[in-house]
Amino acid sequence: MKIGIIKERKSPPDRRVVFSPQKLAELQKQFPHAEIKVEPSDIRVFKDEEYKVLGFELSNDLSDCDILLGVKEVPIEALIPGKKYFFFSHTIKKQAHNRKLLQAIINKHIDLYDHETIVDAGNKRLIGFGQYAGNVGAYNCFRAFGLKYDLFNLPKAETQPDKQTLISKLKKQFLPPVKIVLTGKGKVGMGAKEILDAIKIKEVSVENFLTKTYTEPVYVQLDVTDYNRRKDGKQATKEDFYVNPDKYESDFERFSTVADIFIAGHFYANGSPAIVTREMLASKNNKIKVVADISCDVAGPIASTLRASTIAEPFYGYHAGQNTEIDMYHPSAIVVMAVDNLPCELPKDASEGFGDMFLKYVIPAFFNDDTDGILKRALITHNGNLTQRFKYLEDYISENNEVPHN
């Protein structure tokens, strides 16, 4: 079996990679029969030489590889027919901008495994960059607060070498006794919590957060039943919420009237109620000054997320009364951070962590006849067709299907 590490070709450039040189060496040690080639890249966070000194072949020709590993979408013209590809295709939610990509993958008889579809038997995702989105999102949140109120000027996360440096920078800043509300207990939420805990911000209970005044910064981490309630007044449970989201409405206003900063790291499903409405933010009782929407669902559950922002320009202002974007320094502006590719700002840590997961959960499946069904569940296309699990994409790929065969 020949594995190829492809260079990232999407613009803007992404410096991440599936395997760091050290993790690739671990793979080689565990599975000595695997042959590995690395496509040279001048943007990757790890230099070509770092792979070369560990004995890996560098080559611009990966046509003899069976499996090709990347992070972001591969441009159609760069796809090699008949190969097995792993990357984030951003097609499984029928994203219109990538329809032609999936059409081309089918026409080129490529086996596509999307990192997002690598799940266990209980349909729980096994690999991803969520933790690092949470790390950077929390850092950016404090950076926005410091700029808005002229308290401190933190450097951009992308200019720093690793997560520990971000933590060190944050520890040096003085924070007033703000109240921070964090939603989500998945990888994103826990990634944000990791930063809050590392800089010694005190975690408090929901009841204390809502009722007590503090002389130091504090935060509360919420699960779905903390900020959603059943419309009929019956007892809310997580299980019921996930099955019957339409029977729920937001109960977030009790937090928006006491919190200064909102870090959004929740999972948002179709049919779920809005979480933070324009009315909440426009209310004279609203206290939220910064919204760090790590989940970044545009026109989704958080009214202030009018658009995704960028690593280059991560912040914008939101005027709740007018429901419009304004300058972040305007007196009425709530500062919004809604970068949708946050892990790109922490490429070294993100790549190392991703490689840990990929080596643990995915690579063994190629050598044990996919005993746990990891590959079978993740496979989207095979032999020029959608697999059974992804037949729901038929109507998506049939629209404007004019991609030529190669």
Side-chain angles (χ1 to χ4, degrees):
M1 182 178 295
K2 249 190 178 174
I3 299 172
I5 307 297
I6 62 177
K7 68 183 286 186
E8 297 298 318
R9 291 176 164 84
K10 194 177 178 184
S11 185
D14 193 315
R15 302 179 67 210
R16 293 172 295 172
V17 64
V18 174
F19 283 114
S20 68
Q22 293 296 334
K23 192 54 61 173
L24 206 55
E26 279 186 46
L27 187 162
Q28 187 77 84
K29 187 176 180 181
Q30 285 186 39
F31 304 99
H33 296 302
E35 292 184 59
I36 301 168
K37 290 172 77 171
V38 178
E39 189 175 12
S41 169
D42 57 0
I43 62 163
R44 193 181 287 136
V45 67
F46 302 102
K47 303 299 182 191
D48 292 342
E49 188 62 28
E50 294 180 67
Y51 290 95
K52 192 173 181 180
V53 296
L54 291 176
F56 296 110
E57 179 186 352
L58 296 173
S59 176
N60 287 304
D61 181 10
L62 301 184
S63 59
D64 59 339
C65 291
D66 308 296
I67 302 164
L68 298 168
L69 307 179
V71 176
K72 299 298 276 289
E73 299 100 311
V74 176
I76 291 172
E77 64 275 9
L79 290 167
I80 305 173
K83 301 297 181 184
K84 299 180 193 295
Y85 273 93
F86 284 79
F87 58 84
F88 286 107
S89 68
H90 299 292
T91 58
I92 63 172
K93 295 178 184 175
K94 301 185 179 182
Q95 291 97 320
H97 64 287
N98 281 333
R99 178 186 292 119
K100 287 186 177 180
L101 172 62
L102 189 56
Q103 291 169 348
I105 284 167
I106 286 173
N107 290 337
K108 291 171 184 276
H109 283 243
I110 286 167
D111 282 6
L112 173 63
Y113 300 84
D114 192 304
H115 296 310
E116 208 171 337
T117 65
I118 297 169
V119 296
D120 64 14
N123 216 36
K124 181 183 176 185
R125 281 186 63 182
L126 294 173
I127 62 173
F129 288 105
Q131 174 191 346
Y132 305 98
N135 292 159
V136 180
Y139 176 86
N140 281 355
C141 164
F142 292 117
R143 183 167 177 259
F145 186 83
L147 289 171
K148 169 74 173 176
Y149 295 102
D150 198 23
L151 294 173
F152 45 80
N153 190 350
L154 288 163
K156 282 191 172 186
E158 66 170 340
T159 66
Q160 305 304 300
D162 52 33
K163 178 174 65 183
Q164 278 310 125
T165 310
L166 301 187
I167 291 169
S168 297
K169 297 282 184 188
L170 286 172
K171 281 182 173 179
K172 293 175 183 175
Q173 313 309 322
F174 170 76
L175 272 177
V178 291
K179 283 186 169 182
I180 303 163
V181 58
L182 166 64
T183 52
K185 294 195 174 181
K187 286 185 171 63
V188 173
M190 297 311 288
K193 176 179 168 59
E194 184 182 1
I195 298 297
L196 298 177
D197 290 342
I199 62 174
K200 303 290 192 262
I201 292 182
K202 182 179 180 179
E203 183 175 10
V204 299
S205 68
V206 169
E207 183 182 355
N208 286 346
F209 188 87
L210 294 173
T211 59
K212 289 192 174 182
T213 301
Y214 293 90
T215 57
E216 62 182 319
V218 298
Y219 81 93
V220 65
Q221 186 177 23
L222 307 182
D223 215 335
V224 290
T225 53
D226 294 316
Y227 58 88
N228 290 293
R229 64 188 171 210
R230 278 191 63 108
K231 296 174 184 176
D232 58 12
K234 290 182 180 177
Q235 180 68 35
T237 67
K238 281 179 69 171
E239 294 74 22
D240 181 53
F241 175 81
Y242 290 128
V243 174
N244 303 300
D246 57 311
K247 290 184 167 59
Y248 284 76
E249 63 186 2
S250 176
D251 193 23
F252 192 87
E253 191 159 19
R254 58 193 187 135
F255 296 99
S256 65
T257 56
V258 296
D260 303 286
I261 294 171
F262 172 33
I263 303 176
H266 54 263
F267 170 75
Y268 180 69
N270 288 335
S272 297
I275 298 170
V276 181
T277 64
R278 174 187 172 186
E279 289 71 27
M280 286 181 202
L281 295 176
S283 166
K284 66 181 190 320
N285 296 319
N286 173 61
K287 285 195 68 182
I288 294 175
K289 304 171 183 69
V290 174
V291 176
D293 189 358
I294 304 171
S295 299
C296 193
D297 293 298
V298 177
I302 299 172
S304 54
T305 305
L306 299 176
R307 62 175 176 86
S309 53
T310 64
I311 290 172
E313 299 290 341
F315 312 125
Y316 58 88
Y318 173 73
H319 192 296
Q322 300 170 2
N323 197 37
T324 56
E325 181 177 333
I326 55 174
D327 185 87
M328 66 177 276
Y329 296 104
H330 187 284
S332 299
I334 295 167
V335 184
V336 177
M337 190 289 304
V339 177
D340 60 2
N341 58 341
L342 287 165
C344 296
E345 294 198 70
L346 212 56
K348 182 176 182 292
D349 294 78
S351 297
E352 289 171 345
F354 195 83
D356 285 339
M357 293 179 273
F358 206 90
L359 180 55
K360 179 178 179 180
Y361 294 114
V362 184
I363 295 297
F366 284 105
F367 297 92
N368 65 14
D369 292 324
D370 195 23
T371 303
D372 299 318
I374 299 291
L375 299 177
K376 184 180 180 183
R377 285 189 293 272
L379 184 61
I380 296 177
T381 60
H382 180 63
N383 284 340
N385 294 291
L386 291 166
T387 60
Q388 192 59 43
R389 189 177 172 91
F390 295 94
K391 285 290 186 186
Y392 72 89
L393 295 171
E394 285 281 10
D395 60 334
Y396 169 63
I397 59 166
S398 64
E399 297 176 49
N400 306 314
N401 194 351
E402 298 174 356
V403 179
H405 288 258
N406 271 335

